[in-house]
mmCIF file of all heavy atoms in Angstrom:
data_model
loop_
_atom_site.group_PDB
_atom_site.id
_atom_site.type_symbol
_atom_site.label_atom_id
_atom_site.label_comp_id
_atom_site.label_asym_id
_atom_site.label_seq_id
_atom_site.Cartn_x
_atom_site.Cartn_y
_atom_site.Cartn_z
ATOM 1 N N THR A 309 129.032 177.830 54.982
ATOM 2 C CA THR A 309 128.220 177.361 53.853
ATOM 3 C C THR A 309 128.728 177.983 52.569
ATOM 4 O O THR A 309 128.559 177.417 51.489
ATOM 5 C CB THR A 309 126.747 177.670 54.044
ATOM 6 O OG1 THR A 309 126.604 179.084 54.337
ATOM 7 C CG2 THR A 309 126.174 176.878 55.223
ATOM 8 N N SER A 310 129.306 179.147 52.632
ATOM 9 C CA SER A 310 129.953 179.829 51.562
ATOM 10 C C SER A 310 131.111 180.692 52.042
ATOM 11 O O SER A 310 131.100 181.048 53.234
ATOM 12 C CB SER A 310 128.957 180.819 50.853
ATOM 13 O OG SER A 310 127.942 180.185 50.194
ATOM 14 N N GLY A 311 132.091 180.915 51.184
ATOM 15 C CA GLY A 311 133.192 181.809 51.613
ATOM 16 C C GLY A 311 134.058 182.202 50.425
ATOM 17 O O GLY A 311 134.229 181.421 49.526
ATOM 18 N N VAL A 312 134.584 183.419 50.462
ATOM 19 C CA VAL A 312 135.447 183.937 49.443
ATOM 20 C C VAL A 312 136.358 184.981 50.048
ATOM 21 O O VAL A 312 136.105 185.498 51.164
ATOM 22 C CB VAL A 312 134.684 184.545 48.232
ATOM 23 C CG1 VAL A 312 133.837 183.532 47.574
ATOM 24 C CG2 VAL A 312 133.833 185.737 48.707
ATOM 25 N N LEU A 313 137.344 185.450 49.257
ATOM 26 C CA LEU A 313 138.039 186.684 49.531
ATOM 27 C C LEU A 313 137.231 187.793 48.910
ATOM 28 O O LEU A 313 137.169 187.834 47.634
ATOM 29 C CB LEU A 313 139.467 186.616 49.021
ATOM 30 C CG LEU A 313 140.260 187.908 49.129
ATOM 31 C CD1 LEU A 313 140.482 188.287 50.681
ATOM 32 C CD2 LEU A 313 141.592 187.775 48.476
ATOM 33 N N SER A 314 136.668 188.686 49.645
ATOM 34 C CA SER A 314 135.898 189.826 49.118
ATOM 35 C C SER A 314 136.771 190.783 48.311
ATOM 36 O O SER A 314 137.601 191.433 48.894
ATOM 37 C CB SER A 314 135.157 190.548 50.232
ATOM 38 O OG SER A 314 134.664 191.803 49.782
ATOM 39 N N PRO A 315 136.530 190.906 47.014
ATOM 40 C CA PRO A 315 137.306 191.906 46.214
ATOM 41 C C PRO A 315 137.063 193.321 46.699
ATOM 42 O O PRO A 315 137.988 194.170 46.676
ATOM 43 C CB PRO A 315 136.826 191.660 44.804
ATOM 44 C CG PRO A 315 136.320 190.242 44.777
ATOM 45 C CD PRO A 315 135.681 190.052 46.108
ATOM 46 N N SER A 316 135.831 193.606 47.114
ATOM 47 C CA SER A 316 135.569 195.028 47.505
ATOM 48 C C SER A 316 136.151 195.374 48.882
ATOM 49 O O SER A 316 136.527 196.547 49.149
ATOM 50 C CB SER A 316 134.033 195.197 47.550
ATOM 51 O OG SER A 316 133.465 195.055 46.305
ATOM 52 N N LEU A 317 136.227 194.387 49.781
ATOM 53 C CA LEU A 317 136.716 194.665 51.182
ATOM 54 C C LEU A 317 138.142 194.262 51.330
ATOM 55 O O LEU A 317 138.780 194.680 52.322
ATOM 56 C CB LEU A 317 135.803 193.919 52.158
ATOM 57 C CG LEU A 317 134.328 194.184 52.133
ATOM 58 C CD1 LEU A 317 133.570 193.327 53.150
ATOM 59 C CD2 LEU A 317 134.051 195.659 52.379
ATOM 60 N N GLY A 318 138.659 193.343 50.487
ATOM 61 C CA GLY A 318 140.033 192.878 50.647
ATOM 62 C C GLY A 318 140.153 192.004 51.921
ATOM 63 O O GLY A 318 141.260 191.813 52.420
ATOM 64 N N GLN A 319 139.074 191.373 52.325
ATOM 65 C CA GLN A 319 139.066 190.479 53.477
ATOM 66 C C GLN A 319 138.295 189.256 53.147
ATOM 67 O O GLN A 319 137.392 189.242 52.274
ATOM 68 C CB GLN A 319 138.406 191.183 54.701
ATOM 69 C CG GLN A 319 139.156 192.379 55.292
ATOM 70 C CD GLN A 319 138.306 192.997 56.359
ATOM 71 O OE1 GLN A 319 137.429 193.804 56.039
ATOM 72 N NE2 GLN A 319 138.628 192.715 57.618
ATOM 73 N N GLY A 320 138.574 188.196 53.901
ATOM 74 C CA GLY A 320 137.823 186.950 53.750
ATOM 75 C C GLY A 320 136.441 187.128 54.402
ATOM 76 O O GLY A 320 136.302 187.691 55.456
ATOM 77 N N ILE A 321 135.433 186.597 53.722
ATOM 78 C CA ILE A 321 134.002 186.702 54.225
ATOM 79 C C ILE A 321 133.399 185.295 54.008
ATOM 80 O O ILE A 321 133.779 184.528 53.153
ATOM 81 C CB ILE A 321 133.166 187.713 53.517
ATOM 82 C CG1 ILE A 321 133.115 187.476 51.992
ATOM 83 C CG2 ILE A 321 133.697 189.115 53.846
ATOM 84 C CD1 ILE A 321 132.182 188.429 51.264
ATOM 85 N N ALA A 322 132.441 184.978 54.917
ATOM 86 C CA ALA A 322 131.769 183.702 54.858
ATOM 87 C C ALA A 322 130.396 183.793 55.467
ATOM 88 O O ALA A 322 130.093 184.672 56.234
ATOM 89 C CB ALA A 322 132.616 182.624 55.572
ATOM 90 N N LEU A 323 129.556 182.776 55.170
ATOM 91 C CA LEU A 323 128.293 182.584 55.839
ATOM 92 C C LEU A 323 128.329 181.207 56.559
ATOM 93 O O LEU A 323 129.004 180.280 56.121
ATOM 94 C CB LEU A 323 127.138 182.550 54.835
ATOM 95 C CG LEU A 323 126.913 183.866 54.059
ATOM 96 C CD1 LEU A 323 125.812 183.652 53.015
ATOM 97 C CD2 LEU A 323 126.491 185.007 55.014
ATOM 98 N N ALA A 324 127.622 181.202 57.745
ATOM 99 C CA ALA A 324 127.661 179.891 58.490
ATOM 100 C C ALA A 324 126.383 179.846 59.388
ATOM 101 O O ALA A 324 126.014 180.877 59.916
ATOM 102 C CB ALA A 324 128.899 179.821 59.365
ATOM 103 N N TYR A 325 125.797 178.696 59.475
ATOM 104 C CA TYR A 325 124.718 178.509 60.459
ATOM 105 C C TYR A 325 125.334 178.339 61.851
ATOM 106 O O TYR A 325 126.136 177.388 62.051
ATOM 107 C CB TYR A 325 123.837 177.282 60.095
ATOM 108 C CG TYR A 325 122.888 177.600 58.912
ATOM 109 C CD1 TYR A 325 123.255 177.221 57.626
ATOM 110 C CD2 TYR A 325 121.723 178.259 59.142
ATOM 111 C CE1 TYR A 325 122.413 177.522 56.552
ATOM 112 C CE2 TYR A 325 120.873 178.533 58.106
ATOM 113 C CZ TYR A 325 121.206 178.184 56.808
ATOM 114 O OH TYR A 325 120.368 178.487 55.797
ATOM 115 N N LEU A 326 124.978 179.146 62.766
ATOM 116 C CA LEU A 326 125.445 179.096 64.162
ATOM 117 C C LEU A 326 124.318 179.079 65.113
ATOM 118 O O LEU A 326 123.163 179.497 64.794
ATOM 119 C CB LEU A 326 126.324 180.384 64.426
ATOM 120 C CG LEU A 326 127.529 180.634 63.498
ATOM 121 C CD1 LEU A 326 128.197 181.915 63.920
ATOM 122 C CD2 LEU A 326 128.486 179.462 63.539
ATOM 123 N N PRO A 327 124.558 178.638 66.401
ATOM 124 C CA PRO A 327 123.473 178.712 67.406
ATOM 125 C C PRO A 327 123.025 180.191 67.512
ATOM 126 O O PRO A 327 123.871 181.096 67.398
ATOM 127 C CB PRO A 327 124.202 178.236 68.631
ATOM 128 C CG PRO A 327 125.359 177.369 68.150
ATOM 129 C CD PRO A 327 125.792 177.998 66.855
ATOM 130 N N PRO A 328 121.743 180.445 67.727
ATOM 131 C CA PRO A 328 121.252 181.808 67.785
ATOM 132 C C PRO A 328 122.057 182.758 68.659
ATOM 133 O O PRO A 328 122.329 183.929 68.285
ATOM 134 C CB PRO A 328 119.807 181.640 68.256
ATOM 135 C CG PRO A 328 119.438 180.280 67.784
ATOM 136 C CD PRO A 328 120.661 179.470 67.914
ATOM 137 N N ASP A 329 122.477 182.323 69.823
ATOM 138 C CA ASP A 329 123.228 183.174 70.712
ATOM 139 C C ASP A 329 124.564 183.561 70.169
ATOM 140 O O ASP A 329 125.176 184.562 70.576
ATOM 141 C CB ASP A 329 123.385 182.490 72.043
ATOM 142 C CG ASP A 329 122.109 182.466 72.877
ATOM 143 O OD1 ASP A 329 121.163 183.171 72.533
ATOM 144 O OD2 ASP A 329 122.022 181.687 73.860
ATOM 145 N N ALA A 330 125.131 182.735 69.301
ATOM 146 C CA ALA A 330 126.451 182.967 68.686
ATOM 147 C C ALA A 330 126.378 183.702 67.371
ATOM 148 O O ALA A 330 127.439 184.084 66.842
ATOM 149 C CB ALA A 330 127.199 181.636 68.511
ATOM 150 N N ALA A 331 125.202 183.947 66.904
ATOM 151 C CA ALA A 331 125.043 184.532 65.573
ATOM 152 C C ALA A 331 124.829 186.039 65.629
ATOM 153 O O ALA A 331 124.428 186.658 64.663
ATOM 154 C CB ALA A 331 123.829 183.924 64.877
ATOM 155 N N LYS A 332 125.078 186.632 66.828
ATOM 156 C CA LYS A 332 124.907 188.098 66.963
ATOM 157 C C LYS A 332 126.165 188.864 66.552
ATOM 158 O O LYS A 332 127.291 188.447 66.885
ATOM 159 C CB LYS A 332 124.534 188.398 68.375
ATOM 160 C CG LYS A 332 123.219 187.724 68.851
ATOM 161 C CD LYS A 332 122.914 187.928 70.293
ATOM 162 C CE LYS A 332 121.647 187.229 70.705
ATOM 163 N NZ LYS A 332 121.391 187.355 72.161
ATOM 164 N N PRO A 333 126.033 190.038 65.895
ATOM 165 C CA PRO A 333 127.163 190.808 65.474
ATOM 166 C C PRO A 333 128.082 191.114 66.704
ATOM 167 O O PRO A 333 127.601 191.420 67.790
ATOM 168 C CB PRO A 333 126.541 192.102 64.926
ATOM 169 C CG PRO A 333 125.212 191.657 64.414
ATOM 170 C CD PRO A 333 124.729 190.612 65.406
ATOM 171 N N GLY A 334 129.380 190.981 66.451
ATOM 172 C CA GLY A 334 130.372 191.230 67.481
ATOM 173 C C GLY A 334 130.857 189.948 68.117
ATOM 174 O O GLY A 334 131.968 189.948 68.819
ATOM 175 N N GLN A 335 130.233 188.788 67.868
ATOM 176 C CA GLN A 335 130.700 187.557 68.395
ATOM 177 C C GLN A 335 131.998 187.120 67.767
ATOM 178 O O GLN A 335 132.093 187.029 66.538
ATOM 179 C CB GLN A 335 129.645 186.448 68.194
ATOM 180 C CG GLN A 335 130.095 185.032 68.524
ATOM 181 C CD GLN A 335 130.252 184.856 70.037
ATOM 182 O OE1 GLN A 335 129.328 185.095 70.807
ATOM 183 N NE2 GLN A 335 131.436 184.397 70.441
ATOM 184 N N ALA A 336 132.987 186.877 68.556
ATOM 185 C CA ALA A 336 134.282 186.421 68.080
ATOM 186 C C ALA A 336 134.259 184.918 67.817
ATOM 187 O O ALA A 336 133.731 184.162 68.635
ATOM 188 C CB ALA A 336 135.403 186.773 69.036
ATOM 189 N N VAL A 337 134.826 184.469 66.667
ATOM 190 C CA VAL A 337 134.858 183.064 66.337
ATOM 191 C C VAL A 337 136.206 182.836 65.672
ATOM 192 O O VAL A 337 136.992 183.706 65.462
ATOM 193 C CB VAL A 337 133.712 182.651 65.350
ATOM 194 C CG1 VAL A 337 132.356 182.934 65.903
ATOM 195 C CG2 VAL A 337 133.888 183.410 63.973
ATOM 196 N N GLN A 338 136.463 181.529 65.429
ATOM 197 C CA GLN A 338 137.607 181.154 64.633
ATOM 198 C C GLN A 338 137.151 180.248 63.520
ATOM 199 O O GLN A 338 136.136 179.470 63.664
ATOM 200 C CB GLN A 338 138.663 180.374 65.486
ATOM 201 C CG GLN A 338 139.449 181.218 66.437
ATOM 202 C CD GLN A 338 140.506 180.441 67.196
ATOM 203 O OE1 GLN A 338 140.236 179.355 67.720
ATOM 204 N NE2 GLN A 338 141.724 180.943 67.205
ATOM 205 N N ILE A 339 137.767 180.349 62.384
ATOM 206 C CA ILE A 339 137.440 179.485 61.220
ATOM 207 C C ILE A 339 138.680 178.609 60.976
ATOM 208 O O ILE A 339 139.792 179.061 60.856
ATOM 209 C CB ILE A 339 137.097 180.268 60.029
ATOM 210 C CG1 ILE A 339 135.817 181.126 60.264
ATOM 211 C CG2 ILE A 339 136.827 179.327 58.826
ATOM 212 C CD1 ILE A 339 135.421 181.951 59.083
ATOM 213 N N ASP A 340 138.458 177.298 60.983
ATOM 214 C CA ASP A 340 139.531 176.317 60.703
ATOM 215 C C ASP A 340 139.683 176.166 59.191
ATOM 216 O O ASP A 340 138.823 175.628 58.523
ATOM 217 C CB ASP A 340 139.109 174.961 61.336
ATOM 218 C CG ASP A 340 140.248 173.920 61.235
ATOM 219 O OD1 ASP A 340 141.008 174.044 60.244
ATOM 220 O OD2 ASP A 340 140.362 173.116 62.112
ATOM 221 N N ILE A 341 140.773 176.731 58.740
ATOM 222 C CA ILE A 341 141.057 176.731 57.243
ATOM 223 C C ILE A 341 142.180 175.733 57.047
ATOM 224 O O ILE A 341 143.322 176.012 57.341
ATOM 225 C CB ILE A 341 141.332 178.087 56.715
ATOM 226 C CG1 ILE A 341 140.257 179.093 56.971
ATOM 227 C CG2 ILE A 341 141.733 178.061 55.269
ATOM 228 C CD1 ILE A 341 140.492 180.519 56.525
ATOM 229 N N ARG A 342 141.832 174.570 56.544
ATOM 230 C CA ARG A 342 142.761 173.520 56.233
ATOM 231 C C ARG A 342 143.734 173.226 57.394
ATOM 232 O O ARG A 342 144.966 173.162 57.242
ATOM 233 C CB ARG A 342 143.510 173.843 55.003
ATOM 234 C CG ARG A 342 142.625 173.924 53.704
ATOM 235 C CD ARG A 342 143.392 173.966 52.459
ATOM 236 N NE ARG A 342 144.269 175.123 52.323
ATOM 237 C CZ ARG A 342 143.846 176.300 51.841
ATOM 238 N NH1 ARG A 342 142.586 176.444 51.442
ATOM 239 N NH2 ARG A 342 144.667 177.315 51.800
ATOM 240 N N GLY A 343 143.150 173.125 58.624
ATOM 241 C CA GLY A 343 143.918 172.740 59.771
ATOM 242 C C GLY A 343 144.574 173.870 60.567
ATOM 243 O O GLY A 343 145.141 173.635 61.635
ATOM 244 N N ARG A 344 144.401 175.100 60.111
ATOM 245 C CA ARG A 344 144.898 176.247 60.857
ATOM 246 C C ARG A 344 143.708 177.137 61.235
ATOM 247 O O ARG A 344 142.812 177.372 60.395
ATOM 248 C CB ARG A 344 145.921 177.066 60.010
ATOM 249 C CG ARG A 344 147.158 176.274 59.651
ATOM 250 C CD ARG A 344 148.020 177.103 58.721
ATOM 251 N NE ARG A 344 148.428 178.359 59.346
ATOM 252 C CZ ARG A 344 148.971 179.391 58.626
ATOM 253 N NH1 ARG A 344 149.092 179.276 57.278
ATOM 254 N NH2 ARG A 344 149.347 180.500 59.256
ATOM 255 N N LYS A 345 143.752 177.660 62.467
ATOM 256 C CA LYS A 345 142.645 178.481 62.963
ATOM 257 C C LYS A 345 142.907 179.948 62.795
ATOM 258 O O LYS A 345 143.949 180.468 63.222
ATOM 259 C CB LYS A 345 142.347 178.088 64.410
ATOM 260 C CG LYS A 345 141.924 176.630 64.625
ATOM 261 C CD LYS A 345 141.710 176.337 66.103
ATOM 262 C CE LYS A 345 141.331 174.876 66.274
ATOM 263 N NZ LYS A 345 142.325 173.888 65.765
ATOM 264 N N PHE A 346 141.934 180.665 62.186
ATOM 265 C CA PHE A 346 142.065 182.104 61.969
ATOM 266 C C PHE A 346 140.889 182.802 62.603
ATOM 267 O O PHE A 346 139.737 182.339 62.612
ATOM 268 C CB PHE A 346 142.122 182.361 60.466
ATOM 269 C CG PHE A 346 143.310 181.829 59.780
ATOM 270 C CD1 PHE A 346 143.266 180.506 59.208
ATOM 271 C CD2 PHE A 346 144.532 182.530 59.709
ATOM 272 C CE1 PHE A 346 144.368 179.983 58.601
ATOM 273 C CE2 PHE A 346 145.625 181.984 59.060
ATOM 274 C CZ PHE A 346 145.569 180.713 58.514
#
Side-chain angles (χ1 to χ4, degrees):
T309 52
S310 291
V312 296
L313 175 64
S314 163
S316 298
L317 304 178
Q319 293 175 280
I321 57 174
L323 297 175
Y325 283 97
L326 301 179
D329 287 346
K332 299 175 181 175
Q335 172 69 55
V337 301
Q338 287 184 311
I339 299 179
D340 187 329
I341 301 179
R342 298 192 295 274
R344 296 175 60 195
K345 298 178 179 60
F346 295 91

